[in-house]
Amino acid sequence: MLASRPEVSEIHCVKDARVPLMRFKFDGISIDLPYARLKVISIPENVDVFNPFFLKNIDDTSWKSLSGVRANRSILHLVPNIEVFQAVLRCIKLWAKRRGVYTNLLGFFGGIHLAVLSAFICQRHPSASLSALILLFFKIFALWPWPTPVILQDQIARPLIPTDKVSWMPIQLPCSPYEFCHSNITRSTFYKIRTEFLRGHMLTKDMLSPDFDWNILFEPFPYARRYGLFVKIFLSASDKDELGDWVGWVKSRFRCLLVKLEELLGFCDPNPTEYVDTDASEPNVTFYWGLPTGRADLIKADLVEEYFLKSVDNGLNHNSTTGTMKLSIVKEYQLPKKAQSVCERKHTKPSWRVVDGNRKKTPSQSKYKPHCANEYLPTSENPKYPRAGG
């Protein structure tokens, strides 16, 4: 039904994932549509996912599928101002994507993680401006005492985290006092996230400076400048539909590869960007993960590939069509031009210099807002917001 719609493209069914879903683009907007089965005779059009009647005897997979929906609605009930929260979240998502810390499957944040963190700031500073909220976001989480969990609801007691489920950055699901956002964060990605939090804090604390530039905060992460060595992950299939299914399955196993590379080299920075190898004839998707320079002698690509293929084959439905995968070690100059062209701005003044305390500070007016949020902010001075979730 979806495939027949002209607005829908790149549709793939991910049946064997932790949360079964359909992944597609609708008018160019990426959509993840999860699946859940409710044990009832009929389901109303506007089903209440908080109603115990519909959740009775639900299977574990369907419960996980509904957790995202329930968490989103809980967040809208908890934030004091929905539109400001949405503006903050859009800015933080843009920052996370540009700086390479957004993609749950690669050990970074997913949408629900950033939503809870943004709501946490908005809830504790209900009258703050957008600029102030972004400043507070970086300040608070750059200095956060991880692994202390982030809990959105004050009235809920801090839950006990089982020792076998300890996460580097535990974030509680707001719809349940005993559940946490699923996380794939590893030692390497934790270090990368903390580094980016600190960078954001050092940049935004100088926000009131006359020459403060929001664009620096959102500059793409310069992989080609930071790393001289990369692991190239080349995935291909006979056609685009099969490629989408194959890439989705392999990505669901990426954490296993990331942990292995950490064991061998101590660090790995998985770039979430998907590239296309134009020299290959078959449809393909290629990833380039940053590695510590000068440690190529500690890794044998063929052995790592063999190890990772075993993980990919584990649990794979052998009736499904699979593609091919090739791992290799490449240097910075072997990256595609698109990857090499991304570079942080040069010759800019440090944004963490000390500001003269006697200088008259300018109030945070519109010119101090990040440009990415201009179209999302309310226009009236005292807008009336809809009931959360309404």
Side-chain angles (χ1 to χ4, degrees):
M1 291 171 62
L2 282 170
S4 65
R5 297 284 298 256
E7 306 96 335
V8 173
S9 63
E10 302 179 30
I11 185 168
H12 304 289
C13 212
V14 188
K15 298 179 181 179
D16 299 320
R18 180 178 178 271
V19 176
L21 53 81
M22 286 180 285
R23 181 166 288 154
F24 56 93
K25 287 188 176 180
F26 192 93
D27 274 345
I29 300 173
S30 296
I31 303 290
D32 282 354
L33 187 63
Y35 168 82
R37 175 182 293 174
L38 305 184
K39 293 189 176 182
V40 293
I41 297 175
S42 62
I43 301 175
E45 185 174 346
N46 296 318
V47 60
D48 181 6
V49 293
F50 289 96
N51 189 332
F53 172 77
F54 295 108
L55 303 178
K56 187 177 181 180
N57 298 323
I58 192 173
D59 62 88
D60 186 56
T61 301
S62 295
W63 175 263
K64 292 174 182 175
S65 295
L66 289 176
S67 291
V69 180
R70 298 170 70 243
N72 286 339
R73 294 190 182 179
S74 296
I75 289 171
L76 293 180
H77 278 285
L78 292 168
V79 295
N81 186 313
I82 295 175
E83 291 188 44
V84 170
F85 159 71
Q86 291 172 334
V88 171
L89 181 55
R90 286 185 176 102
C91 292
I92 298 303
K93 276 191 174 182
L94 176 63
W95 161 81
K97 290 178 180 179
R98 293 277 181 88
R99 300 304 298 178
V101 292
Y102 185 88
T103 298
N104 191 24
L105 291 176
L106 272 72
F108 295 112
F109 288 133
I112 185 61
H113 303 94
L114 295 181
V116 174
L117 295 183
S118 298
F120 182 87
I121 301 301
C122 292
Q123 189 182 58
R124 279 149 183 75
H125 304 276
S127 60
S129 66
L130 173 61
S131 299
L133 289 169
I134 293 175
L135 183 152
L136 289 164
F137 177 92
F138 288 111
K139 178 181 179 180
I140 289 174
F141 293 120
L143 306 176
W144 189 265
W146 306 104
T148 301
V150 176
I151 300 173
L152 193 56
Q153 294 153 291
D154 286 333
Q155 66 271 24
I156 292 181
R158 178 169 296 175
L160 176 65
I161 309 176
T163 55
D164 62 333
K165 294 184 178 180
V166 172
S167 169
W168 288 91
M169 300 178 122
I171 300 173
Q172 187 188 34
L173 272 174
C175 58
S176 172
Y178 306 109
E179 287 188 271
F180 288 82
C181 301
H182 177 69
S183 174
N184 289 311
I185 294 175
T186 69
R187 182 176 65 252
S188 292
T189 56
F190 174 75
Y191 173 81
K192 170 75 177 287
I193 293 170
R194 284 295 306 274
T195 301
E196 290 302 322
F197 274 152
L198 287 167
R199 174 185 179 272
H201 173 46
M202 297 305 290
L203 289 171
T204 55
K205 73 178 186 179
D206 202 26
M207 185 183 296
L208 295 178
S209 172
D211 56 352
F212 175 76
D213 186 357
W214 279 105
N215 292 317
I216 300 176
L217 178 66
F218 298 103
E219 281 180 340
F221 187 84
Y223 291 94
R225 277 183 55 198
R226 295 292 179 89
Y227 307 109
L229 205 63
F230 295 83
V231 57
K232 176 182 177 181
I233 308 166
F234 177 82
L235 306 174
S236 64
S238 57
D239 60 56
K240 289 186 177 180
D241 288 335
E242 290 183 0
L243 178 64
D245 294 336
W246 175 235
V247 171
W249 176 256
V250 175
K251 286 174 69 175
S252 71
R253 295 293 188 269
F254 266 172
R255 191 181 191 277
C256 177
L257 175 60
L258 177 57
V259 171
K260 185 64 176 179
L261 292 171
E262 286 182 356
E263 291 177 359
L264 295 172
L265 303 173
F267 178 80
C268 176
D269 185 357
N271 181 357
T273 306
E274 300 181 3
Y275 299 93
V276 175
D277 189 337
T278 55
D279 295 329
S281 57
E282 66 271 32
N284 69 86
V285 167
T286 307
F287 296 88
Y288 295 92
W289 293 4
L291 301 175
T293 305
R295 307 196 72 179
D297 57 320
L298 299 178
I299 181 172
K300 295 186 181 297
D302 54 343
L303 295 180
V304 174
E305 178 182 309
E306 181 182 353
Y307 169 84
F308 184 48
L309 278 172
K310 290 180 181 178
S311 174
V312 171
D313 289 338
N314 184 26
L316 180 65
N317 184 351
H318 292 285
N319 294 323
S320 303
T321 303
T322 60
T324 59
M325 180 182 69
K326 180 66 178 175
L327 264 64
S328 58
I329 305 300
V330 299
K331 296 187 176 180
E332 177 271 332
Y333 65 85
Q334 296 174 289
L335 295 178
K337 291 183 178 180
K338 182 179 179 183
Q340 294 184 36
S341 62
V342 176
C343 185
E344 283 185 312
R345 187 178 308 178
K346 296 180 180 180
H347 308 303
T348 52
K349 296 180 180 179
S351 293
W352 47 86
R353 65 192 181 283
V354 178
V355 180
D356 182 3
N358 296 322
R359 180 185 297 174
K360 183 178 180 181
K361 297 186 184 296
T362 308
S364 298
Q365 301 297 335
S366 59
K367 69 177 181 178
Y368 294 99
K369 296 197 304 286
H371 300 292
C372 64
N374 284 341
E375 60 184 292
Y376 302 115
L377 291 179
T379 54
S380 56
E381 185 174 352
N382 294 302
K384 293 183 179 179
Y385 300 103
R387 182 179 64 85

